Amino acid sequence: PETLLQLAQKAVELDENLGEAWVSLGNALRGKEAHAAYERGLSLNPSYIQGYLWYANSLSSPSFYDSWDSWLEAWKVDTWQSIIKRGLEVDPLSITLHHELSDYPMWASTEEEALYHARRIIEIAPDSPRGYAQLSLISWYISGRIDESIRWANKAIEIDPRQPGYTMQTAYAYATLGDIDMAMAYWERANQIVADDVSPVRLQILRALMLLSDKDSVPIQQVLDALKPISVGFTHRMEIEANLAIIKGDAKEWLAEHAEYLSLCLDAPIDEAYPNKWPRCASWLDGLLRAAGEEARARAAAKKRIEWGQRKWGEWPRPVTSPREFLILGEEDRALDDFELLLADYRGNPYMNRLFLDESLRFMLYHDPLLSPIRDHPRFQAVVAEVEADLAQQLENVREMERRGEVPTLEEARALIASK
C-alpha cells in the first residue's frame, strides 16, 4: 500500500490533469481523501470506466469506513451502487459494470435488478460466459434453484471450458442435490484445468465439503486427507476439522493443539472483532468448548456470538444467527425457531444461501454434531423432509435436462475428463 500511494502521488505530481492518476491515488487512500481523489479523476476523465469500478469497490469495502455502522448506512443509501450507475450512463455497454450490478444483495437492490443486468451482459456479449455465470449464481443464491444454476453454469462452461470456477460451482451444486458421483466428476475436471492463479485450497475445501454431503455417513479419514494440503491456520479447514473432532470425541485434544489461535477468538472485544478472525471461528468454537466439557466458556462464547450478530446487522437485514448458539444456552425452542427460519430462507435469502455454500447444507441436515439435541424433534424432521423433497425434485429436473441434452450426463462428463 505504501508503494502504491507513492507511485500515485508521483503520477499526480507529473500531470495533475491526468484523470487516471487521480483515480489511482483514490485507490491508495481511504475516507474523504479518497472520495476527493476519485471525484477529481472522474471529472477530468469521465470516460475512464475502470475508475468507476475502483471507486465503487473502495466504497463497498468495510475497511473504507470508520465503523461497521457507517458501512451499513452507506449500503442502505446505495452509496457504491450509484457510482456504477454513473459509469453506465457514460458507457451503457460496459460488461464489467453490468456484472457488478448483477450481484445481489451487495450491488443490486432487488433480484429483478440483478437478473436484468445479468441478461444485459448476454445481450451485449452472447459469446461471453460472464452473463451465464451470473445467472447461475443468482439462480442458486437468490431463488434456491440449484437445477437452473447447473443449467446456466454448463452454458458458461461450454463457452469457456478452461475456467475452473464454473466447473467447481457445478460440482458443489450436484453435491448439494445429493449426486456425489456427478459432483466428483466435475471436481476431477476442475482439478485438471486449475490454473496457477486459482488456489488449490478451494479445490480441497470443495472436495471435503462434497464428502461431508453424504447423507448416510461422514468418511472422516477421507475428509481429513482432503484437508491435509491446506495450511493449519486456514479458518475453513479449522472449522471442518473442529466438527470432525466433536464427532470423534476429540474436542479436548483439538482445543489443546490450537489454544493460541483460539484465544484470539475468545479474547477479542466485539468492537474489534470485524474484520478480524473472531466472528468466523466463533461459529464453531462454542460447540468445541461444550464438547470438551468447558460449559461456562462455551456459554460465554455463544452469548458473544449472538451479541456480535446483533451488533453487526441490527435489524437490517435479519440477523444471521445459528441454532447452535441457542442450543448451547439450553434454549431448544429458540433453536428450533431459528432452524426453521434458516431453512425457510434457503430460498429467497442470499445471505443464507451464501452460508450454505460455505458450510454445507447437507452436513447441517444430517451430521452437524451441535444440532443433535433437536435432530429427532418433529419440527426439525418436518423441515428436513420439506428440503429433501425440494432437492429431490430439482435433481429430477436436472435428469430431464440430461435427457434433453441440455447438460452432460455422467458418462459424458467422465468421457470429457478421460479425453483431456
Side-chain angles (χ1 to χ4, degrees):
E2 293 79 8
T3 304
L4 172 62
L5 178 59
Q6 292 169 6
L7 290 170
Q9 288 172 333
K10 183 65 175 177
V12 170
E13 290 172 8
L14 291 171
D15 186 351
E16 64 179 18
N17 293 315
L18 183 64
E20 292 91 329
W22 283 99
V23 166
S24 293
L25 181 59
N27 204 26
L29 297 170
R30 288 291 179 268
K32 293 181 180 179
E33 290 183 325
H35 274 289
Y38 277 124
E39 290 292 347
R40 177 74 184 276
L42 291 174
S43 67
L44 290 168
N45 185 359
S47 298
Y48 186 38
I49 297 303
Q50 185 68 34
Y52 297 99
L53 182 65
W54 283 354
Y55 190 5
N57 276 303
S58 291
L59 291 174
S60 70
S61 172
S63 64
F64 190 90
Y65 300 88
D66 295 333
S67 68
W68 179 260
D69 289 339
S70 298
W71 180 81
L72 275 181
E73 289 304 315
W75 186 356
K76 291 178 183 179
V77 295
D78 292 344
T79 301
W80 48 86
Q81 297 89 334
S82 64
I83 303 300
I84 295 293
K85 291 172 183 176
R86 276 172 55 188
L88 282 175
E89 291 175 3
V90 176
D91 182 3
L93 300 181
S94 170
I95 293 176
T96 299
L97 298 186
H98 280 293
H99 189 271
E100 292 298 294
L101 285 180
S102 65
D103 183 8
Y104 175 75
M106 276 295 295
W107 293 83
S109 59
T110 63
E111 177 182 355
E112 290 71 24
E113 183 182 8
L115 287 168
Y116 166 79
H117 288 286
R119 290 169 179 152
R120 191 76 183 95
I121 295 172
I122 295 172
E123 292 173 0
I124 295 168
D127 293 332
S128 167
R130 297 182 73 184
Y132 301 104
Q134 284 302 99
L135 284 179
S136 175
L137 293 174
I138 293 168
S139 296
W140 191 340
Y141 288 169
I142 304 175
S143 306
R145 291 298 305 274
I146 304 172
D147 50 354
E148 288 297 314
S149 180
I150 290 172
R151 180 206 300 273
W152 293 119
N154 270 284
K155 182 66 176 177
I157 292 170
E158 288 177 15
I159 297 172
D160 187 1
R162 301 295 302 174
Q163 166 53 260
Y166 307 149
T167 306
M168 290 166 65
Q169 177 167 328
T170 308
Y172 199 96
Y174 275 107
T176 304
L177 293 181
D179 189 340
I180 306 302
D181 289 339
M182 186 65 92
M184 188 56 70
Y186 275 87
W187 183 89
E188 290 176 0
R189 175 62 180 146
N191 195 39
Q192 279 185 339
I193 62 178
V194 68
D196 292 338
D197 60 344
V198 177
S199 170
V201 167
R202 291 179 61 201
L203 271 169
Q204 294 306 114
I205 288 293
L206 174 60
R207 183 163 183 236
L209 291 174
M210 285 162 47
L211 291 166
L212 291 172
S213 295
D214 190 294
K215 179 178 179 179
D216 299 319
S217 65
V218 176
I220 293 177
Q221 191 55 52
Q222 291 182 51
V223 177
L224 291 174
D225 290 344
L227 297 174
K228 280 182 181 177
I230 304 170
S231 64
V232 174
F234 189 76
T235 56
H236 213 146
R237 167 186 169 162
M238 298 180 77
E239 177 180 5
I240 296 172
E241 280 191 352
N243 279 313
L244 296 181
I246 298 173
I247 292 174
K248 292 170 62 182
D250 295 339
K252 186 174 292 187
E253 292 79 1
W254 200 91
L255 278 169
E257 291 175 8
H258 301 85
E260 182 177 354
Y261 175 88
L262 296 175
S263 67
L264 297 174
C265 303
L266 288 173
D267 299 337
I270 288 179
D271 289 341
E272 300 174 7
Y274 189 87
N276 297 325
K277 298 175 181 178
W278 179 79
R280 180 69 180 164
C281 60
S283 63
W284 40 266
L285 174 59
D286 45 20
L288 266 175
L289 290 167
R290 163 169 272 196
E294 300 191 32
E295 189 68 30
R297 294 178 74 197
R299 292 175 64 85
K303 289 178 180 178
K304 190 173 182 180
R305 170 73 174 176
I306 293 171
E307 182 184 349
W308 178 82
Q310 293 170 340
R311 180 85 61 90
K312 177 181 177 183
W313 293 114
E315 296 303 318
W316 184 89
R318 183 179 76 77
V320 180
T321 57
S322 166
R324 291 174 159 197
E325 279 78 50
F326 294 123
L327 286 173
I328 288 169
L329 297 174
E331 301 181 32
E332 290 196 5
D333 287 340
R334 289 188 69 185
L336 285 163
D337 291 343
D338 201 68
F339 179 75
E340 289 175 341
L341 191 56
L342 199 65
L343 271 293
D345 280 347
Y346 104 94
R347 287 187 300 180
N349 185 327
Y351 301 95
M352 297 302 102
N353 282 284
R354 292 174 195 272
L355 179 69
F356 287 133
L357 280 173
D358 287 340
E359 297 184 358
S360 177
L361 169 62
R362 295 175 67 84
F363 180 76
M364 172 182 270
L365 294 181
Y366 305 120
H367 304 300
D368 189 333
L370 299 182
L371 299 184
S372 296
I374 59 173
R375 193 170 302 282
D376 294 330
H377 195 285
R379 289 172 61 188
F380 188 101
Q381 291 297 318
V383 174
V384 172
E386 182 179 348
V387 174
E388 282 184 330
D390 180 59
L391 296 180
Q393 181 58 59
Q394 291 197 47
L395 183 56
E396 179 53 36
N397 294 344
V398 174
R399 293 289 176 259
E400 183 59 33
M401 293 179 199
E402 293 174 2
R403 289 189 282 270
R404 294 196 300 262
E406 296 173 355
V407 298
T409 63
L410 179 59
E411 292 73 20
E412 290 168 338
R414 286 174 171 169
L416 181 61
I417 297 167
S419 68
K420 299 295 183 179

